[in-house]
Amino acid sequence: MEGRMLVAAGSLTIVSIFLIFGALLIHPFGVPNAYKMDQYIIDHTQNESGANNGVTAVVFDYRGFDTLGEATVLFTAVAGVILVFRRVKKE
Amino acid sequence: MFEQLLKTFDTGNGYWNPLVWGFAFLIIFLIIYILRGRGNPSYKRGTEQTKVFLSGNPEYENKELLHVKASNLYWGWVESTKWVINTLKKMHTGRANDYILWFTFMIAIFMLLLGVI
Amino acid sequence: MNILDILLQQSPALIVATPLLGAFLTPLIGKLGYNVRNIFIIIILAVTAFLVFLLASDVFSGNIHTYVFGGTTSTVLSNTVIRILFEVDGLSIFMAIITVILSLAAVIYSWAFMREETGQDKYYTLLLLMTTGMFGMVLTGDLFNFFVFLEITSIASCALIAFWTHKAKAVEAAFNYMVISTIGALFVLLSIAFLYGKYDALNIAKLASRITPVSFSFIDKLSLILLLAALTMKAGIAPMHMWLPDAYGRAPASISIILVGATQASLYGVFRICFTLYGNVIQIPEVSLGWIMVILGLITMLIGVFMAMIQIDFKKLIAYGALAELGYMFLGVGTGLTILSNPQLSLASNSFALQAMKGGIFHIINDALDVGLLFLVAGAVYYATKESSLNNLGGIARNMKYTTVFFLIGLLAVSGIPPMNGFASKLLIYESVYQLNPILAIIAILASIMLLAIMVKVFYSAFLGPKIDRFQDIREAPKSMLIAMGILASLIIFFGLFPDLIVNTLVEPAVKAITHPTSYILWLTGGV
Amino acid sequence: MMSKIVKTIAGISFPFITIYGLYVIAHGHLTPGGGFQGGAIVASGLILLLVAYGTDWIIEKIKESHLSILESLGALGFIGVAFLGLIFGGMFFTNFIAGTSMLFGGIPTSTAANINTGGTLPLMNFAVGLKVIAGLFAIVLVMAYAISKEEGE
């Protein structure tokens, strides 16, 4: 038990040090490194997807397939919950 | 088509060909057949000779008991490698906490190996 | 332009969309009756299989097949990749072939295996969703899309592992898997966020072209570490494998074999990350990634065989065997990576690197078939006897002749004995790994011998031995289960007898795909 | 089972929550929100009813299998729009309506919000909305039903 706590503390320390370093090294909030993608979406959304809302255009048009995937995640979760809570014939 | 199928499979040092395998199989079969032909002719079915010999102990009435159970198989091996197996068994606690701990531990190891050095 | 050309052009999307459509339709079709639904699902998967092989015929002739969702190819070739891209190369389609074989076998097997169960509509829905997720994972060329499909696969598999909810151990295994796979997936998401923030791209090829030795920094390292750790965990590499034997062992047999495919899809993720995404900077880490993979492979192998030795639960034992098999893939591919990423090793050893990679990749499909067959046999034995502990089994070869023969085939294949397929790939691995370091090859051979001993133990204790009264009138497994086992067994023998054909047609393009990442990356700039 | 006050308030606020959720779904391509968010709002209204009136009352009105079919229909609508994109636009998920004279085909101007824009986006929002309403409510219903059965036994 002692050893386990020691290992846990050690590895958590290392992981958090690395993640904090990572957080410090990423570029500051609101100042993107590169914004070609953002600019493209701002420029072309209205023409290409015909929507005023850029966020919805990204979610349902440019990355619509991801949204289908996310909707499928929900579908999977529902199917899983219904499956797990079904009535089972006891042997 | 057949030529393509029967092509030799080259691994750099060794090779593998279904034809060679079939040939080897035939030779082994022949050797076994010859050896079997040279067996002791005094062997008779259904006599004293075919009876099970259990170090002088009487044979069980219930045939089921003759079957060595799975947990008793390789008893010697398990006994002699007990130190490994017991360590490994301790690793597999079956609790989600420990799984996460191992995962964190491995991330830390990866970080030390790939990140620091 | 005839219909085949159109189908070929659309096939990457259709391969994912067809089982997805099937999954959405299953709750409705399920109202029409048992046979209608099962035939519907088999048709859906057969159509998918047809599309996979159609696409394979194109990819194996040397093309990289790309597909842009919701846009034309020309809009993508600009400097930014906004839309989602599917990018199918040799390795992707190789994994897709494995997926389709396993899921077809599982569905055919389920016809009889699941006949008595409740909640079958949901079962088949989730099975198709899991197949969809695996297809998406292996075909996608977009990192975030990969994460989405990873989620679908893991959630569907969680629910299916807990299918027998009246068994506490199944629920426990599912819970453990859910916890650890969610945490792993979140780490994947975190590293994707790091990469997106730095390079302003989600497309794997685009990212790979931007991650250069010049730009390689701490953030890249961190993402590499997190991706590697999370995906090796999802692939069940020791010592993060603990969820795997429980999950494989407690799930219904038809699910176990798809789970084999799911772990291999994660393995594909590891290879894609190491060889393609970080392909430009493979030499940078001073500690070779290849050596890490080799050592993890060896640990996995040894833990797998040692734990399998003492198991008495039929399916859990095979699960540990499958774990050991995973080690071989890592060993083979890791050896290749070690040699390829080290410029000091002479060019002569490059051919051994390729051989090792071939062995590792070939072993993926062999493992899927062998372990899949063994799981199906275990399921058939459970179906007939309602007994999963090897201690209580015995003498069932008398009643289940075909199953015994199938088990024997699986036994020989998994322990690498000619003329089964395991032999060919293990031969490749041993001989090439020997060139790197003889000790590695010796350990691998020892593990293989132990695997043989373990499987012989199962064969003896379950199938041989005197008659047991309880199993006096058990019957042979139903036809559909025999057909599913027969498909896998015949593939095993075919792959074993003619490995040259398989290596040249299936494995070589896959190896070429990951050892030449530039062709994958350069597609975007039009320099195929 | 809750008191009469809770039931009455829940009954009064349920239509408003539903209308608000449907508004969010329908205006997904103009304002913040969309199918997921609006669907979650409507589902939360339904869950309010479930909490106020008890599981048994709800389960008489609507079965989990019906919800499952509704959810499938929503998902089918989503993937169906994507397939229509393949048929009419040449690629899976092509926004084949945008810029045509069909319903939702208008090109938006930067000043006025016109609901007749967005191409396939509103259709997908409706499908996802249906799916999320049915899906989220089905999860809560099934869990609540399982718990109430366990307590009853």
Side-chain angles (χ1 to χ4, degrees), chain A residues 22 26-27 33 36-37 40 61 63 66 70 72 75-76 80 83-84 86-89, chain C residues 79-83 116 118 125 129 142 144-145 159 163 165-166 197-198 200 219:
Chain A
I26 55 174
H27 55 80
N33 257 7
K36 272 183 185 154
M37 227 157 154
Y40 182 91
D61 189 351
R63 301 197 72 85
D66 276 345
E70 289 298 341
T72 312
F75 185 81
T76 316
L83 182 83
V84 171
R86 79 190 193 283
R87 244 171 254 170
V88 190
K89 259 190 273 174
Chain C
N79 201 20
T80 48
V81 184
I82 305 284
R83 292 178 187 275
E116 307 295 320
T118 54
T125 310
L129 285 171
D142 192 283
F144 186 74
N145 207 232
F163 182 77
T165 41
H166 56 284
K198 182 164 180 196
D200 192 31
I219 296 285

mmCIF file of all heavy atoms in Angstrom, chain A residues 22 26-27 33 36-37 40 61 63 66 70 72 75-76 80 83-84 86-89, chain C residues 79-83 116 118 125 129 142 144-145 159 163 165-166 197-198 200 219:
data_model
loop_
_atom_site.group_PDB
_atom_site.id
_atom_site.type_symbol
_atom_site.label_atom_id
_atom_site.label_comp_id
_atom_site.label_asym_id
_atom_site.label_seq_id
_atom_site.Cartn_x
_atom_site.Cartn_y
_atom_site.Cartn_z
ATOM 1 N N GLY A 22 3.682 22.244 -20.473
ATOM 2 C CA GLY A 22 2.991 22.323 -21.764
ATOM 3 C C GLY A 22 2.041 23.497 -21.793
ATOM 4 O O GLY A 22 1.985 24.260 -22.773
ATOM 5 N N ILE A 26 2.296 26.776 -24.559
ATOM 6 C CA ILE A 26 1.415 27.050 -25.688
ATOM 7 C C ILE A 26 1.224 28.542 -25.813
ATOM 8 O O ILE A 26 1.406 29.295 -24.851
ATOM 9 C CB ILE A 26 0.037 26.330 -25.565
ATOM 10 C CG1 ILE A 26 -0.629 26.682 -24.245
ATOM 11 C CG2 ILE A 26 0.170 24.856 -25.744
ATOM 12 C CD1 ILE A 26 -2.018 26.136 -24.131
ATOM 13 N N HIS A 27 0.829 28.947 -27.019
ATOM 14 C CA HIS A 27 0.718 30.392 -27.262
ATOM 15 C C HIS A 27 -0.401 30.976 -26.406
ATOM 16 O O HIS A 27 -1.344 30.278 -26.039
ATOM 17 C CB HIS A 27 0.461 30.653 -28.736
ATOM 18 C CG HIS A 27 -0.725 29.920 -29.253
ATOM 19 N ND1 HIS A 27 -2.002 30.358 -29.050
ATOM 20 C CD2 HIS A 27 -0.815 28.753 -29.915
ATOM 21 C CE1 HIS A 27 -2.830 29.502 -29.578
ATOM 22 N NE2 HIS A 27 -2.154 28.526 -30.114
ATOM 23 N N ASN A 33 -1.523 31.195 -33.161
ATOM 24 C CA ASN A 33 -0.282 31.085 -33.925
ATOM 25 C C ASN A 33 -0.532 31.354 -35.389
ATOM 26 O O ASN A 33 0.180 32.101 -36.031
ATOM 27 C CB ASN A 33 0.245 29.657 -33.799
ATOM 28 C CG ASN A 33 1.372 29.585 -32.837
ATOM 29 O OD1 ASN A 33 1.669 30.564 -32.184
ATOM 30 N ND2 ASN A 33 1.998 28.444 -32.746
ATOM 31 N N LYS A 36 -5.162 30.859 -40.582
ATOM 32 C CA LYS A 36 -5.633 30.697 -41.961
ATOM 33 C C LYS A 36 -6.986 30.025 -41.989
ATOM 34 O O LYS A 36 -7.877 30.388 -42.753
ATOM 35 C CB LYS A 36 -4.627 29.864 -42.741
ATOM 36 C CG LYS A 36 -3.542 30.708 -43.355
ATOM 37 C CD LYS A 36 -2.626 29.841 -44.182
ATOM 38 C CE LYS A 36 -1.457 30.651 -44.705
ATOM 39 N NZ LYS A 36 -0.304 29.811 -44.962
ATOM 40 N N MET A 37 -7.141 29.014 -41.139
ATOM 41 C CA MET A 37 -8.382 28.262 -41.117
ATOM 42 C C MET A 37 -9.529 29.172 -40.681
ATOM 43 O O MET A 37 -10.583 29.197 -41.296
ATOM 44 C CB MET A 37 -8.250 27.105 -40.131
ATOM 45 C CG MET A 37 -8.717 25.802 -40.674
ATOM 46 S SD MET A 37 -7.912 24.502 -39.756
ATOM 47 C CE MET A 37 -9.076 23.207 -39.962
ATOM 48 N N TYR A 40 -10.385 31.636 -43.367
ATOM 49 C CA TYR A 40 -11.109 30.996 -44.471
ATOM 50 C C TYR A 40 -12.579 30.862 -44.119
ATOM 51 O O TYR A 40 -13.459 31.170 -44.927
ATOM 52 C CB TYR A 40 -10.503 29.613 -44.752
ATOM 53 C CG TYR A 40 -11.166 28.894 -45.901
ATOM 54 C CD1 TYR A 40 -10.692 29.039 -47.197
ATOM 55 C CD2 TYR A 40 -12.285 28.097 -45.696
ATOM 56 C CE1 TYR A 40 -11.291 28.409 -48.241
ATOM 57 C CE2 TYR A 40 -12.898 27.461 -46.742
ATOM 58 C CZ TYR A 40 -12.397 27.613 -48.016
ATOM 59 O OH TYR A 40 -13.004 26.995 -49.066
ATOM 60 N N ASP A 61 -21.559 21.722 -41.541
ATOM 61 C CA ASP A 61 -21.178 21.647 -42.949
ATOM 62 C C ASP A 61 -19.723 21.239 -43.109
ATOM 63 O O ASP A 61 -19.428 20.150 -43.595
ATOM 64 C CB ASP A 61 -21.426 23.001 -43.617
ATOM 65 C CG ASP A 61 -21.252 22.930 -45.119
ATOM 66 O OD1 ASP A 61 -20.785 21.881 -45.590
ATOM 67 O OD2 ASP A 61 -21.572 23.890 -45.815
ATOM 68 N N ARG A 63 -17.425 20.384 -40.940
ATOM 69 C CA ARG A 63 -17.090 19.172 -40.196
ATOM 70 C C ARG A 63 -18.357 18.390 -39.867
ATOM 71 O O ARG A 63 -18.508 17.842 -38.780
ATOM 72 C CB ARG A 63 -16.301 19.523 -38.934
ATOM 73 C CG ARG A 63 -15.014 20.266 -39.253
ATOM 74 C CD ARG A 63 -14.070 20.263 -38.106
ATOM 75 N NE ARG A 63 -13.492 18.948 -37.924
ATOM 76 C CZ ARG A 63 -12.431 18.497 -38.572
ATOM 77 N NH1 ARG A 63 -11.841 19.237 -39.475
ATOM 78 N NH2 ARG A 63 -11.962 17.297 -38.345
ATOM 79 N N ASP A 66 -17.962 14.826 -38.581
ATOM 80 C CA ASP A 66 -17.666 14.696 -37.153
ATOM 81 C C ASP A 66 -18.941 14.785 -36.335
ATOM 82 O O ASP A 66 -19.114 14.077 -35.340
ATOM 83 C CB ASP A 66 -16.719 15.809 -36.705
ATOM 84 C CG ASP A 66 -15.278 15.464 -36.968
ATOM 85 O OD1 ASP A 66 -15.011 14.283 -37.221
ATOM 86 O OD2 ASP A 66 -14.438 16.364 -36.922
ATOM 87 N N GLU A 70 -20.528 12.435 -33.649
ATOM 88 C CA GLU A 70 -20.917 12.775 -32.280
ATOM 89 C C GLU A 70 -22.364 12.372 -32.016
ATOM 90 O O GLU A 70 -22.698 11.884 -30.929
ATOM 91 C CB GLU A 70 -20.724 14.272 -32.029
ATOM 92 C CG GLU A 70 -19.273 14.707 -31.943
ATOM 93 C CD GLU A 70 -18.523 14.053 -30.795
ATOM 94 O OE1 GLU A 70 -19.169 13.554 -29.868
ATOM 95 O OE2 GLU A 70 -17.284 14.044 -30.838
ATOM 96 N N THR A 72 -23.750 9.961 -33.416
ATOM 97 C CA THR A 72 -23.697 8.503 -33.275
ATOM 98 C C THR A 72 -23.226 8.097 -31.895
ATOM 99 O O THR A 72 -23.670 7.085 -31.367
ATOM 100 C CB THR A 72 -22.779 7.910 -34.344
ATOM 101 O OG1 THR A 72 -23.133 8.465 -35.585
ATOM 102 C CG2 THR A 72 -22.911 6.420 -34.406
ATOM 103 N N PHE A 75 -26.227 8.215 -29.880
ATOM 104 C CA PHE A 75 -27.062 7.061 -30.254
ATOM 105 C C PHE A 75 -26.515 5.793 -29.610
ATOM 106 O O PHE A 75 -27.264 4.983 -29.048
ATOM 107 C CB PHE A 75 -27.053 6.933 -31.776
ATOM 108 C CG PHE A 75 -27.961 5.880 -32.325
ATOM 109 C CD1 PHE A 75 -29.306 6.130 -32.482
ATOM 110 C CD2 PHE A 75 -27.465 4.644 -32.689
ATOM 111 C CE1 PHE A 75 -30.141 5.161 -32.983
ATOM 112 C CE2 PHE A 75 -28.290 3.677 -33.194
ATOM 113 C CZ PHE A 75 -29.641 3.938 -33.347
ATOM 114 N N THR A 76 -25.184 5.659 -29.684
ATOM 115 C CA THR A 76 -24.546 4.482 -29.081
ATOM 116 C C THR A 76 -24.784 4.444 -27.582
ATOM 117 O O THR A 76 -25.093 3.386 -27.021
ATOM 118 C CB THR A 76 -23.028 4.532 -29.330
ATOM 119 O OG1 THR A 76 -22.809 4.898 -30.676
ATOM 120 C CG2 THR A 76 -22.384 3.214 -29.048
ATOM 121 N N GLY A 80 -26.673 1.634 -25.622
ATOM 122 C CA GLY A 80 -25.960 0.917 -24.569
ATOM 123 C C GLY A 80 -26.730 0.931 -23.262
ATOM 124 O O GLY A 80 -26.853 -0.095 -22.593
ATOM 125 N N LEU A 83 -29.622 -1.312 -23.478
ATOM 126 C CA LEU A 83 -29.167 -2.708 -23.458
ATOM 127 C C LEU A 83 -28.823 -3.143 -22.045
ATOM 128 O O LEU A 83 -29.199 -4.229 -21.608
ATOM 129 C CB LEU A 83 -27.936 -2.854 -24.358
ATOM 130 C CG LEU A 83 -27.373 -4.263 -24.470
ATOM 131 C CD1 LEU A 83 -28.144 -5.029 -25.506
ATOM 132 C CD2 LEU A 83 -25.915 -4.249 -24.828
ATOM 133 N N VAL A 84 -28.115 -2.270 -21.320
ATOM 134 C CA VAL A 84 -27.660 -2.667 -19.986
ATOM 135 C C VAL A 84 -28.831 -2.747 -19.012
ATOM 136 O O VAL A 84 -28.859 -3.604 -18.133
ATOM 137 C CB VAL A 84 -26.577 -1.684 -19.500
ATOM 138 C CG1 VAL A 84 -26.250 -1.930 -18.047
ATOM 139 C CG2 VAL A 84 -25.330 -1.834 -20.330
ATOM 140 N N ARG A 86 -31.885 -3.628 -19.704
ATOM 141 C CA ARG A 86 -32.983 -4.473 -20.169
ATOM 142 C C ARG A 86 -33.241 -5.586 -19.166
ATOM 143 O O ARG A 86 -32.472 -5.792 -18.236
ATOM 144 C CB ARG A 86 -32.644 -5.077 -21.527
ATOM 145 C CG ARG A 86 -31.707 -6.258 -21.432
ATOM 146 C CD ARG A 86 -31.214 -6.662 -22.782
ATOM 147 N NE ARG A 86 -30.560 -7.958 -22.765
ATOM 148 C CZ ARG A 86 -29.343 -8.186 -22.314
ATOM 149 N NH1 ARG A 86 -28.631 -7.210 -21.804
ATOM 150 N NH2 ARG A 86 -28.823 -9.386 -22.362
ATOM 151 N N ARG A 87 -34.345 -6.282 -19.399
ATOM 152 C CA ARG A 87 -34.632 -7.417 -18.540
ATOM 153 C C ARG A 87 -33.909 -8.645 -19.085
ATOM 154 O O ARG A 87 -33.982 -8.939 -20.265
ATOM 155 C CB ARG A 87 -36.135 -7.667 -18.503
ATOM 156 C CG ARG A 87 -36.692 -7.456 -17.109
ATOM 157 C CD ARG A 87 -38.172 -7.496 -17.141
ATOM 158 N NE ARG A 87 -38.716 -6.146 -16.999
ATOM 159 C CZ ARG A 87 -39.999 -5.877 -17.186
ATOM 160 N NH1 ARG A 87 -40.827 -6.836 -17.547
ATOM 161 N NH2 ARG A 87 -40.450 -4.654 -17.023
ATOM 162 N N VAL A 88 -33.216 -9.353 -18.208
ATOM 163 C CA VAL A 88 -32.438 -10.511 -18.639
ATOM 164 C C VAL A 88 -33.093 -11.759 -18.099
ATOM 165 O O VAL A 88 -33.547 -11.791 -16.957
ATOM 166 C CB VAL A 88 -30.992 -10.421 -18.114
ATOM 167 C CG1 VAL A 88 -30.142 -11.484 -18.750
ATOM 168 C CG2 VAL A 88 -30.423 -9.060 -18.392
ATOM 169 N N LYS A 89 -33.130 -12.768 -18.956
ATOM 170 C CA LYS A 89 -33.606 -14.072 -18.482
ATOM 171 C C LYS A 89 -32.555 -14.658 -17.557
ATOM 172 O O LYS A 89 -31.412 -14.881 -17.957
ATOM 173 C CB LYS A 89 -33.812 -15.007 -19.676
ATOM 174 C CG LYS A 89 -35.268 -15.141 -20.094
ATOM 175 C CD LYS A 89 -35.428 -16.250 -21.097
ATOM 176 C CE LYS A 89 -35.194 -15.755 -22.510
ATOM 177 N NZ LYS A 89 -35.197 -16.830 -23.502
ATOM 178 N N ASN C 79 -4.020 25.732 -49.488
ATOM 179 C CA ASN C 79 -3.082 25.635 -48.371
ATOM 180 C C ASN C 79 -3.743 25.158 -47.082
ATOM 181 O O ASN C 79 -3.101 24.595 -46.219
ATOM 182 C CB ASN C 79 -2.435 27.003 -48.148
ATOM 183 C CG ASN C 79 -1.143 26.850 -47.406
ATOM 184 O OD1 ASN C 79 -0.575 25.760 -47.389
ATOM 185 N ND2 ASN C 79 -0.691 27.919 -46.798
ATOM 186 N N THR C 80 -5.038 25.388 -46.948
ATOM 187 C CA THR C 80 -5.707 24.990 -45.716
ATOM 188 C C THR C 80 -6.660 23.847 -46.014
ATOM 189 O O THR C 80 -7.312 23.816 -47.044
ATOM 190 C CB THR C 80 -6.519 26.153 -45.146
ATOM 191 O OG1 THR C 80 -7.282 26.702 -46.205
ATOM 192 C CG2 THR C 80 -5.639 27.189 -44.549
ATOM 193 N N VAL C 81 -6.713 22.924 -45.075
ATOM 194 C CA VAL C 81 -7.649 21.817 -45.226
ATOM 195 C C VAL C 81 -8.760 22.034 -44.220
ATOM 196 O O VAL C 81 -8.603 21.804 -43.029
ATOM 197 C CB VAL C 81 -6.960 20.465 -44.965
ATOM 198 C CG1 VAL C 81 -7.919 19.347 -45.230
ATOM 199 C CG2 VAL C 81 -5.753 20.341 -45.839
ATOM 200 N N ILE C 82 -9.900 22.519 -44.701
ATOM 201 C CA ILE C 82 -10.991 22.815 -43.786
ATOM 202 C C ILE C 82 -11.829 21.556 -43.573
ATOM 203 O O ILE C 82 -12.167 21.197 -42.454
ATOM 204 C CB ILE C 82 -11.886 23.919 -44.363
ATOM 205 C CG1 ILE C 82 -11.062 25.135 -44.699
ATOM 206 C CG2 ILE C 82 -12.997 24.241 -43.396
ATOM 207 C CD1 ILE C 82 -10.652 25.945 -43.547
ATOM 208 N N ARG C 83 -12.108 20.886 -44.669
ATOM 209 C CA ARG C 83 -13.053 19.781 -44.582
ATOM 210 C C ARG C 83 -12.367 18.498 -44.119
ATOM 211 O O ARG C 83 -11.146 18.417 -44.063
ATOM 212 C CB ARG C 83 -13.717 19.573 -45.946
ATOM 213 C CG ARG C 83 -14.621 20.710 -46.300
ATOM 214 C CD ARG C 83 -15.240 20.526 -47.650
ATOM 215 N NE ARG C 83 -15.982 21.722 -48.025
ATOM 216 C CZ ARG C 83 -17.237 21.954 -47.667
ATOM 217 N NH1 ARG C 83 -17.889 21.085 -46.928
ATOM 218 N NH2 ARG C 83 -17.847 23.044 -48.047
ATOM 219 N N GLU C 116 -31.265 -17.120 -27.935
ATOM 220 C CA GLU C 116 -32.083 -17.172 -26.723
ATOM 221 C C GLU C 116 -32.089 -15.857 -25.946
ATOM 222 O O GLU C 116 -32.791 -15.732 -24.956
ATOM 223 C CB GLU C 116 -31.574 -18.279 -25.794
ATOM 224 C CG GLU C 116 -31.453 -19.648 -26.434
ATOM 225 C CD GLU C 116 -32.807 -20.185 -26.841
ATOM 226 O OE1 GLU C 116 -33.767 -19.997 -26.082
ATOM 227 O OE2 GLU C 116 -32.903 -20.770 -27.934
ATOM 228 N N THR C 118 -32.319 -11.814 -24.749
ATOM 229 C CA THR C 118 -33.182 -10.652 -24.930
ATOM 230 C C THR C 118 -32.322 -9.477 -25.388
ATOM 231 O O THR C 118 -31.107 -9.513 -25.295
ATOM 232 C CB THR C 118 -33.869 -10.272 -23.612
ATOM 233 O OG1 THR C 118 -32.857 -10.116 -22.618
ATOM 234 C CG2 THR C 118 -34.842 -11.327 -23.171
ATOM 235 N N THR C 125 -27.470 -3.482 -33.178
ATOM 236 C CA THR C 125 -27.194 -2.064 -33.420
ATOM 237 C C THR C 125 -25.785 -1.715 -32.962
ATOM 238 O O THR C 125 -25.004 -1.115 -33.698
ATOM 239 C CB THR C 125 -28.189 -1.196 -32.630
ATOM 240 O OG1 THR C 125 -29.495 -1.661 -32.888
ATOM 241 C CG2 THR C 125 -28.078 0.244 -33.006
ATOM 242 N N LEU C 129 -22.471 -0.514 -34.921
ATOM 243 C CA LEU C 129 -21.824 0.756 -34.575
ATOM 244 C C LEU C 129 -20.341 0.553 -34.299
ATOM 245 O O LEU C 129 -19.502 1.367 -34.682
ATOM 246 C CB LEU C 129 -22.504 1.372 -33.359
ATOM 247 C CG LEU C 129 -23.864 2.000 -33.621
ATOM 248 C CD1 LEU C 129 -24.533 2.375 -32.329
ATOM 249 C CD2 LEU C 129 -23.701 3.219 -34.495
ATOM 250 N N ASP C 142 -8.060 12.292 -40.691
ATOM 251 C CA ASP C 142 -8.261 13.490 -39.886
ATOM 252 C C ASP C 142 -8.150 13.099 -38.424
ATOM 253 O O ASP C 142 -8.768 12.143 -37.983
ATOM 254 C CB ASP C 142 -9.644 14.060 -40.181
ATOM 255 C CG ASP C 142 -9.818 15.436 -39.608
ATOM 256 O OD1 ASP C 142 -10.031 15.553 -38.390
ATOM 257 O OD2 ASP C 142 -9.729 16.393 -40.381
ATOM 258 N N PHE C 144 -9.052 14.576 -35.557
ATOM 259 C CA PHE C 144 -10.210 14.681 -34.681
ATOM 260 C C PHE C 144 -11.265 13.635 -35.032
ATOM 261 O O PHE C 144 -11.921 13.075 -34.159
ATOM 262 C CB PHE C 144 -10.823 16.078 -34.758
ATOM 263 C CG PHE C 144 -11.921 16.276 -33.769
ATOM 264 C CD1 PHE C 144 -11.627 16.443 -32.431
ATOM 265 C CD2 PHE C 144 -13.245 16.245 -34.150
ATOM 266 C CE1 PHE C 144 -12.639 16.587 -31.506
ATOM 267 C CE2 PHE C 144 -14.254 16.392 -33.230
ATOM 268 C CZ PHE C 144 -13.948 16.566 -31.907
ATOM 269 N N ASN C 145 -11.397 13.380 -36.327
ATOM 270 C CA ASN C 145 -12.306 12.327 -36.767
ATOM 271 C C ASN C 145 -11.909 10.986 -36.171
ATOM 272 O O ASN C 145 -12.762 10.188 -35.750
ATOM 273 C CB ASN C 145 -12.261 12.272 -38.283
ATOM 274 C CG ASN C 145 -13.531 11.746 -38.865
ATOM 275 O OD1 ASN C 145 -13.508 10.832 -39.650
ATOM 276 N ND2 ASN C 145 -14.646 12.309 -38.474
ATOM 277 N N ALA C 159 -20.753 -1.227 -23.775
ATOM 278 C CA ALA C 159 -22.102 -1.757 -23.601
ATOM 279 C C ALA C 159 -22.150 -3.231 -23.942
ATOM 280 O O ALA C 159 -22.844 -4.014 -23.294
ATOM 281 C CB ALA C 159 -23.073 -0.974 -24.475
ATOM 282 N N PHE C 163 -22.954 -7.170 -21.881
ATOM 283 C CA PHE C 163 -24.200 -7.704 -22.448
ATOM 284 C C PHE C 163 -24.899 -8.647 -21.491
ATOM 285 O O PHE C 163 -26.110 -8.590 -21.312
ATOM 286 C CB PHE C 163 -23.905 -8.412 -23.772
ATOM 287 C CG PHE C 163 -25.143 -8.930 -24.436
ATOM 288 C CD1 PHE C 163 -25.986 -8.067 -25.100
ATOM 289 C CD2 PHE C 163 -25.478 -10.267 -24.382
ATOM 290 C CE1 PHE C 163 -27.141 -8.516 -25.697
ATOM 291 C CE2 PHE C 163 -26.630 -10.726 -24.978
ATOM 292 C CZ PHE C 163 -27.454 -9.848 -25.637
ATOM 293 N N THR C 165 -25.804 -8.873 -18.380
ATOM 294 C CA THR C 165 -25.816 -8.006 -17.204
ATOM 295 C C THR C 165 -26.069 -8.778 -15.919
ATOM 296 O O THR C 165 -25.848 -8.251 -14.839
ATOM 297 C CB THR C 165 -26.895 -6.927 -17.335
ATOM 298 O OG1 THR C 165 -28.044 -7.526 -17.879
ATOM 299 C CG2 THR C 165 -26.426 -5.814 -18.185
ATOM 300 N N HIS C 166 -26.561 -10.015 -16.009
ATOM 301 C CA HIS C 166 -26.785 -10.751 -14.770
ATOM 302 C C HIS C 166 -25.487 -11.326 -14.221
ATOM 303 O O HIS C 166 -25.470 -11.868 -13.125
ATOM 304 C CB HIS C 166 -27.801 -11.851 -14.994
ATOM 305 C CG HIS C 166 -27.425 -12.801 -16.090
ATOM 306 N ND1 HIS C 166 -27.536 -12.467 -17.414
ATOM 307 C CD2 HIS C 166 -26.936 -14.047 -16.050
ATOM 308 C CE1 HIS C 166 -27.135 -13.479 -18.143
ATOM 309 N NE2 HIS C 166 -26.758 -14.447 -17.352
ATOM 310 N N GLY C 197 -3.669 23.673 -31.849
ATOM 311 C CA GLY C 197 -3.298 25.023 -31.458
ATOM 312 C C GLY C 197 -1.981 25.454 -32.056
ATOM 313 O O GLY C 197 -1.782 26.607 -32.403
ATOM 314 N N LYS C 198 -1.067 24.509 -32.183
ATOM 315 C CA LYS C 198 0.246 24.904 -32.679
ATOM 316 C C LYS C 198 0.296 24.986 -34.208
ATOM 317 O O LYS C 198 0.896 25.897 -34.761
ATOM 318 C CB LYS C 198 1.299 23.925 -32.176
ATOM 319 C CG LYS C 198 2.682 24.337 -32.625
ATOM 320 C CD LYS C 198 3.768 23.662 -31.864
ATOM 321 C CE LYS C 198 5.098 24.155 -32.394
ATOM 322 N NZ LYS C 198 6.193 23.311 -31.979
ATOM 323 N N ASP C 200 -2.449 24.635 -36.491
ATOM 324 C CA ASP C 200 -3.619 25.120 -37.195
ATOM 325 C C ASP C 200 -4.101 24.119 -38.248
ATOM 326 O O ASP C 200 -4.488 24.487 -39.341
ATOM 327 C CB ASP C 200 -3.310 26.471 -37.866
ATOM 328 C CG ASP C 200 -4.564 27.147 -38.349
ATOM 329 O OD1 ASP C 200 -5.600 26.941 -37.707
ATOM 330 O OD2 ASP C 200 -4.505 27.856 -39.362
ATOM 331 N N ILE C 219 5.948 20.958 -27.034
ATOM 332 C CA ILE C 219 4.523 20.662 -27.220
ATOM 333 C C ILE C 219 4.354 19.405 -28.071
ATOM 334 O O ILE C 219 3.541 18.529 -27.766
ATOM 335 C CB ILE C 219 3.835 21.866 -27.906
ATOM 336 C CG1 ILE C 219 3.897 23.088 -27.010
ATOM 337 C CG2 ILE C 219 2.407 21.527 -28.253
ATOM 338 C CD1 ILE C 219 2.950 23.051 -25.868
#
